[in-house]
Amino acid sequence: MALSKETSTDSTRIKDMLKFPFKVAAISVTQPLGTYYVAVLPASLLLDVAYSDALSASHRADGVGYELTGTQRLPQPKRLQPIAEFINRTDSAFPNSIILAANVRKEDGLIEDEDQDEVLDIGSEHHSRWTVEEDINGGCGILTIPTPDKLAAIIDGQHRLFAFASAHPERLQMELICSVFLDLPKPYQAQLFATINSTQKPVDKSLTYELFGYNIDEESEEFWSPDKLAVFLTRRIGTEDGSPLKGRIVIAPKRDFALERLSENKTWKVSTAVVVEGIMRLFTTNPKRDGAALLDIKRKIRKEISESRKDKSPLRKAYLENEDIVIYQMTLNYLRACASVFWDSASPGSFIVKTVGIQALFDILRTVAAQAYQEKNIGIKYFAALLEPAKNIDFAADAFRNASGSGRSAIRKAIAAHMNKVE
């Protein structure tokens, strides 16, 4: 049925009401899994910024209303129309929250990093990351959504949200409760989805497998996607005796006041996402495509996807050949070298033990990993010798103070220049 002129005007007006950056109050909630934020967001904004692996919404060509697109069918598409009819009622209400994982890119499954372009020497100033900053006066945080880029993966509530695309346009103003996780790696999203749904009704394991690319049951390592392997190795590095990051890796946003609070009057901490992505980029540039290739037509083992696409990651061969122990030992020994050269003697306020510093060190590992792998030299002494010339850099200096992309880039370039081995 065609939209009336009045309805079309309403839809356009609602669209125009959204201004970015969009800021809203957010309550911080800390639970065993980690910290997330409860915020109230309008349905129209969520349709713009959110997506699931099955479906996403986009504005129609004429600018009026939304259309749904996706490469996969929703598990229960027939549910959308009844929900839309409920949304249109005068007594409609959704007191339960939509769960989002923000800063996860739809195109490749990587966590959005405002400094990625700088790391790749592209020099972009485009910052899309969702952030939360403490509001000293109000006592709660302020969630900032800087752009309408689709960076919010829906963990739970996709039927509820996408039904708004078929509801009356005025309903797009409806406020919805959202629980927002920042920088939550995809395997944790799958775990959360499975846990939530299994407590409500028997979960369809194939559904979880289709939506997230993971089995609920344990599976052989040779089937592991890059992000699942990276999470596994991160957990080991965060718990194993002798690891310099034991007890330091937490589920928290990369840059956020919650992570800062964890470090107040205590030893420094690092976000799980920082370590997972630092490891994962050693052997993949697109974990989402790798995950899809592993599930194409039938389940495949890693080496079967070697021809699916070109990937110049330094440890790609090690991943495809299931040489997980090599990847783990190289990473662990490199981090031990970082501890001996930088972390153990870091001055108060040094940025080498903050997010940008840890990210920069993983950038350096990515530049030296290929040679270390080829030479079969992945010992602590090898990496310490590479890093030692940069030992006396004062990473507490103002030059490294920027907590975003330029800070990470400055640290990386300073270390690389002293190493005289990394361009």
Side-chain angles (χ1 to χ4, degrees):
M1 182 175 69
L3 292 172
S4 67
K5 182 176 180 180
E6 181 179 354
T7 303
S8 299
T9 302
D10 289 343
S11 179
T12 303
R13 184 170 64 249
I14 292 168
K15 174 184 174 182
D16 292 341
M17 286 172 60
L18 291 177
K19 301 295 183 183
F20 292 93
F22 186 92
K23 295 177 181 287
V24 67
I27 300 172
S28 172
V29 181
T30 300
Q31 294 178 347
L33 175 64
T35 299
Y36 63 93
Y37 303 91
V38 178
V40 176
L41 300 173
S44 57
L45 179 139
L46 288 171
L47 285 173
D48 281 351
V49 302
Y51 68 92
S52 74
D53 282 347
L55 206 62
S56 65
S58 58
H59 291 284
R60 297 184 187 278
D62 59 5
V64 178
Y66 291 85
E67 60 184 1
L68 300 180
T69 59
T71 58
Q72 302 175 30
R73 292 190 308 113
L74 272 173
Q76 298 184 51
K78 293 181 179 179
R79 289 180 57 186
L80 292 181
Q81 190 56 39
I83 296 174
E85 293 172 358
F86 174 73
I87 292 171
N88 291 336
R89 288 173 42 165
T90 57
D91 60 350
S92 61
F94 292 107
N96 50 334
S97 69
I98 292 173
I99 304 176
L100 304 172
N103 296 330
V104 180
R105 299 204 298 253
K106 185 174 186 245
E107 62 270 22
D108 57 16
L110 290 170
I111 292 177
E112 174 71 9
D113 217 342
E114 63 186 11
D115 49 305
Q116 266 307 292
D117 288 333
E118 274 198 277
V119 171
L120 298 175
D121 293 324
I122 296 174
S124 171
E125 294 297 326
H126 180 64
H127 299 331
S128 301
R129 284 181 53 81
W130 294 27
T131 58
V132 174
E133 295 182 358
E134 188 170 13
D135 180 1
I136 299 176
N137 297 322
C140 65
I142 299 297
L143 170 66
T144 299
I145 304 173
T147 72
D149 294 356
K150 287 194 179 294
L151 288 175
I154 303 171
I155 297 176
D156 193 60
Q158 61 176 349
H159 288 97
R160 200 178 327 147
L161 174 59
F162 291 127
F164 275 88
S166 302
H168 294 326
E170 62 268 20
R171 285 292 188 256
L172 293 173
Q173 300 179 70
M174 185 183 292
E175 297 180 332
L176 298 173
I177 302 170
C178 296
S179 296
V180 182
F181 289 83
L182 300 182
D183 308 331
L184 187 67
K186 200 169 183 182
Y188 286 99
Q189 298 175 39
Q191 172 187 320
L192 191 56
F193 172 86
T195 301
I196 291 169
N197 286 276
S198 64
T199 58
Q200 297 173 359
K201 58 185 178 181
V203 69
D204 180 350
K205 294 182 181 180
S206 64
L207 168 59
T208 304
Y209 195 47
E210 179 182 354
L211 291 180
F212 291 94
Y214 306 95
N215 275 331
I216 298 173
D217 299 327
E218 290 298 319
E219 61 183 351
S220 174
E221 295 177 13
E222 62 185 354
F223 292 102
W224 283 5
S225 60
D227 43 6
K228 185 166 187 176
L229 173 60
V231 165
F232 173 78
L233 297 181
T234 297
R235 284 172 171 166
R236 283 197 61 180
I237 288 172
T239 57
E240 186 171 287
D241 291 337
S243 168
L245 294 186
K246 181 181 179 181
R248 298 186 189 275
I249 303 175
V250 294
I251 294 287
K254 289 182 178 181
R255 285 182 289 280
D256 181 80
F257 68 85
L259 187 57
E260 294 297 324
R261 285 203 309 268
L262 288 171
S263 302
E264 285 180 0
N265 303 319
K266 299 178 184 178
T267 185
W268 54 274
K269 304 285 185 181
V270 61
S271 164
T272 294
V274 169
V275 181
V276 168
E277 296 240 326
I279 294 174
M280 188 163 56
R281 286 192 173 104
L282 294 174
F283 46 81
T284 185
T285 57
N286 197 319
K288 186 170 184 177
R289 288 187 62 185
D290 285 339
L294 288 166
L295 296 176
D296 188 26
I297 301 177
K298 65 179 183 67
R299 289 183 65 197
K300 296 180 176 68
I301 59 176
R302 297 184 210 171
K303 64 182 179 182
E304 290 182 292
I305 68 168
S306 60
E307 302 299 325
S308 64
R309 65 183 186 85
K310 293 182 179 180
D311 193 310
K312 295 183 179 180
S313 299
L315 300 185
R316 183 66 172 180
K317 181 176 181 293
Y319 167 74
L320 295 173
E321 297 296 330
N322 300 329
E323 296 176 346
D324 300 349
I325 186 62
V326 174
I327 298 172
Y328 173 72
Q329 203 60 55
M330 179 188 293
T331 304
L332 180 61
N333 287 341
Y334 175 78
L335 293 174
R336 285 170 172 165
C338 290
S340 65
V341 175
F342 300 121
W343 298 337
D344 293 347
S345 58
S347 62
S350 174
F351 288 90
I352 201 66
V353 293
K354 295 185 182 295
T355 295
V356 288
I358 308 302
Q359 288 177 314
L361 288 170
F362 271 110
D363 293 339
I364 294 293
L365 174 57
R366 195 170 189 271
T367 65
V368 302
Q371 183 174 342
Y373 178 73
Q374 291 169 3
E375 296 178 355
K376 299 182 179 180
N377 193 348
I378 61 173
I380 301 174
K381 290 183 179 180
Y382 174 80
F383 292 118
L386 290 177
L387 298 173
E388 187 68 27
K391 181 180 179 67
N392 294 323
I393 298 175
D394 180 13
F395 290 108
D398 289 342
F400 307 110
R401 187 165 298 279
N402 193 326
S404 63
S406 58
R408 171 180 176 177
S409 180
I411 293 172
R412 174 178 59 85
K413 290 177 180 178
I415 295 173
H418 282 71
M419 287 172 58
N420 201 30
K421 287 180 177 292
V422 182
E423 296 181 359

